[in-house]
């Protein structure tokens, strides 16, 4: 019987692109998502783009143990990609218990269900936020950890939980992927990032300014110790990230225990460099205003991505111009996101 890949949170931004890459690589994909921050439409489009159906979609909260048991009983699951979770930093500061409940509680229930059904391979969506304010850049996986907000602490706690699970039973094989700043969209413009309400993150904010949904970009801080005074990040194209997940699935069986990997490009761009690249890609001027720093932001954050290259044979291929061109194509073709098709 063919082993299936179970993708939690597969209808979301990164999960939908990963599902597309997995289907293109020939995998049988089952998705579990409660659609709390996503639309079913994303996966319909993934099926259209790949010409391949999902093996199953289940609208389910990963904290629903009985629901998970039914999914594990129905399919022969070989590996779980765990994307499901809440991700808004500010919201996590305002309502930390919701974040601990959903993210940490969700991971715990999922791991218990996996153990019960003898599934011991997982690829987990972690974040560069676990490094907190880095002592130096580029950041390697051994760098000290110390997230500065509840969202980041949920990722850190889950990483620790995974390490304990692997220590207790060395048959587990877990790959923790620490994403830097995922941006962009599939080049078709059919799937992309569709934040609810006003975007928190830079690229979707710029894209909504470009399309006229928002009037002006606020640049948070012009006095950082960087070349132009604005924050510097390691933006990574979501299709590069998706392909990194396919490699992680392919390599997981050969990686013993717990493996922590940065997924980034290894180079940083400032906020103003991103604005300029987006203007070049779209031909649209982006009005901006430099305002106060945003609480909790760090000046610079970029990855040392060499370990992922050694262990997965993966490295990011796409540059900033492509990230902006693809984000713009998605925004232009879907000014309201999945909008009316979102049912
Ligand atoms: P997203 O919100 O688009 O996707 C998350 C998906 O999980 C959504 O489809 C949502 O409906 C679903 N979900 C949430 N809670 C659930 C639950 N309890 N049960 C079932 N489904 C649930 O976010 P994304 O940007 O695609 O992020 C995916 C993962 O990657 C998250 O774990 C996030 O923390 C992590 N991550 C994201 C970024 C980023 O900048 N986007 C950076 C680092 C890490
Ligand atoms: N920024 C602005 N204006 C905006 C939004 C962002 O100037 O409207 C700036 C920020 O100050 C920062 C840069 O753009 O300098 C990037 O900000 P993002 O919000 O896009 O990304 P962050 O680096 O703050 O955070 C992201 C994810 C987190 C994740 C973190 C580290 O949102 O979930 O990367 O991986 F934890």
């Amino acid at each position: 019987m063919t082993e299936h890949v179970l993708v939690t949170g597969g209808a979301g931004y990164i999960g939908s692109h990963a599902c597309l890459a997995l289907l293109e690589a020939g995998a049988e994909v089952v998705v579990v998502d409660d659609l709390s921050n996503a639309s079913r439409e994303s996966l319909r489009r993934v099926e259209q783009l790949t010409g391949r159906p999902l093996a199953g979609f289940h609208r389910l909260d990963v904290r629903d143990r009985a629901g998970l048991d039914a999914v594990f009983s129905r399919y022969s699951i070989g590996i779980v990609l765990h994307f499901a979770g809440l991700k808004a930093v500010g919201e996590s500061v305002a309502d930390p218990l919701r974040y601990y409940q959903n993210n940490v509680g969700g991971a715990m229930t999922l791991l218990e269900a996996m153990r019960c059904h003898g599934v011991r391979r997982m690829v987990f969506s972690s974040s560069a936020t676990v490094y907190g304010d880095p002592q130096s850049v580029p950041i390697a996986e051994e760098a000290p950890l110390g997230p500065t907000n509840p969202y980041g602490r949920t990722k850190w706690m889950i990483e620790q939980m995974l390490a304990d699970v692997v220590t207790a039973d060395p048959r587990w094989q877990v790959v923790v992927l620490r994403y830097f700043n995922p941006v962009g969209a599939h080049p078709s413009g059919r799937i992309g990032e569709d934040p609810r309400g006003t975007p928190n993150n830079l690229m979707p904010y710029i894209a909504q300014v470009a399309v006229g949904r928002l009037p002006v970009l606020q640049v948070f801080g012009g006095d950082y110790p960087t070349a132009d005074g604005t924050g510097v990040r390691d933006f990574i194209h979501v299709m590069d990230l998706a392909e990194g997940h396919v490699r992680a699935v392919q390599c997981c069986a050969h990686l013993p225990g717990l493996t922590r990997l940065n997924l980034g490009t290894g180079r940083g761009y400032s906020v103003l460099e991103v604005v300029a690249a987006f203007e070049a890609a779209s031909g649209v001027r982006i009005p901006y205003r430099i305002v106060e720093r945003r609480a909790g932001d760090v000046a610079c954050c970029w990855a040392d991505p060499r370990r992922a290259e050694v262990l997965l044979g993966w490295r990011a291929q796409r540059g900033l111009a492509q990230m902006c061109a693809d984000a713009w194509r998605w925004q232009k073709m879907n000014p309201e996101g999945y909008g009316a098709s979102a049912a």
Side-chain angles (χ1 to χ4, degrees):
M1 192 171 169
T2 318
E3 287 212 323
H4 290 64
V5 179
L6 176 64
V7 182
T8 75
Y13 170 45
I14 303 170
S16 57
H17 290 80
C19 284
L20 180 141
L22 286 164
L23 288 170
E24 282 184 340
E28 296 294 331
V29 179
V30 177
V31 171
V32 161
D33 197 304
D34 67 358
L35 301 184
S36 56
N37 195 40
S39 159
R40 183 71 180 84
E41 177 65 12
S42 64
L43 291 172
R44 284 192 204 107
R45 295 188 185 186
V46 164
E47 290 179 320
Q48 287 163 7
L49 286 166
T50 59
R52 291 197 58 215
L54 294 173
F57 173 82
H58 300 269
R59 183 170 188 170
L60 194 70
D61 190 314
V62 291
R63 291 167 293 176
D64 174 352
R65 176 60 198 274
L68 283 183
D69 281 338
V71 170
F72 280 104
S73 301
R74 176 158 168 187
Y75 308 94
S76 168
I77 308 285
I79 186 166
V80 177
L81 268 62
H82 183 38
F83 293 95
L86 302 174
K87 62 164 183 175
V89 172
E91 199 177 72
S92 80
V93 174
D95 192 355
L97 292 178
R98 183 165 162 242
Y99 272 68
Y100 289 115
Q101 172 57 243
N102 193 76
N103 292 6
V104 181
M108 202 184 302
T109 304
L110 176 63
L111 288 166
E112 284 168 349
M114 289 174 67
R115 183 181 60 177
C116 178
H117 294 270
V119 180
R120 288 183 289 266
R121 286 191 188 132
M122 176 183 269
V123 178
F124 172 62
S125 301
S126 189
S127 167
T129 195
V130 297
Y131 297 114
D133 195 352
Q135 284 169 6
S136 60
V137 281
I139 307 171
E141 288 83 355
E142 298 74 27
L145 304 184
T148 56
N149 58 69
Y151 162 69
R153 280 188 279 274
T154 67
K155 294 292 177 190
W156 194 24
M157 285 180 190
I158 297 166
E159 287 199 15
Q160 288 172 310
M161 190 156 69
L162 290 167
D164 289 339
V165 166
V166 168
T167 302
D169 182 349
R171 290 175 299 173
W172 281 77
Q173 291 166 298
V174 176
V175 181
V176 166
L177 299 178
R178 294 176 178 156
Y179 314 152
F180 280 67
N181 287 59
V183 295
H186 187 262
S188 66
R190 297 274 297 150
I191 59 170
E193 186 170 12
D194 182 18
R196 296 199 170 161
T198 307
N200 297 308
N201 300 117
L202 180 66
M203 188 69 90
Y205 203 106
I206 293 178
Q208 291 197 14
V209 171
V211 84
R213 261 173 84 172
L214 293 168
V216 59
L217 170 73
Q218 298 193 53
V219 174
F220 299 136
D223 58 351
Y224 284 109
T226 61
D228 65 18
T230 65
V232 172
R233 295 290 182 277
D234 187 337
F235 298 95
I236 175 168
H237 196 295
V238 67
M239 288 308 302
D240 278 324
L241 208 57
E243 287 159 12
H245 286 77
V246 173
R247 290 299 299 150
V249 168
Q250 290 165 343
C251 296
C252 189
H254 312 293
L255 294 170
L258 183 77
T259 308
R260 301 172 185 87
L261 298 174
N262 287 336
L263 291 189
T265 65
R267 95 153 272 192
Y269 288 99
S270 75
V271 173
L272 292 183
E273 284 176 312
V274 176
V275 170
F278 200 97
E279 289 182 333
S282 64
V284 178
R285 198 180 65 83
I286 309 295
Y288 70 84
R289 200 169 46 226
I290 295 183
V291 299
E292 287 297 291
R293 293 182 181 189
R294 183 171 67 178
D297 274 355
V298 302
C300 295
C301 177
W302 68 87
D304 177 344
R306 283 175 299 179
R307 187 185 285 174
E309 181 161 10
V310 171
L311 294 183
L312 302 183
W314 168 93
R315 71 189 293 181
Q317 305 290 333
R318 297 157 178 90
L320 183 61
Q322 194 170 349
M323 298 178 211
C324 293
D326 291 338
W328 172 235
R329 190 176 304 105
W330 152 255
Q331 188 68 61
K332 211 171 31 171
M333 287 172 62
N334 309 268
E336 303 297 327
Y338 292 109
S341 1

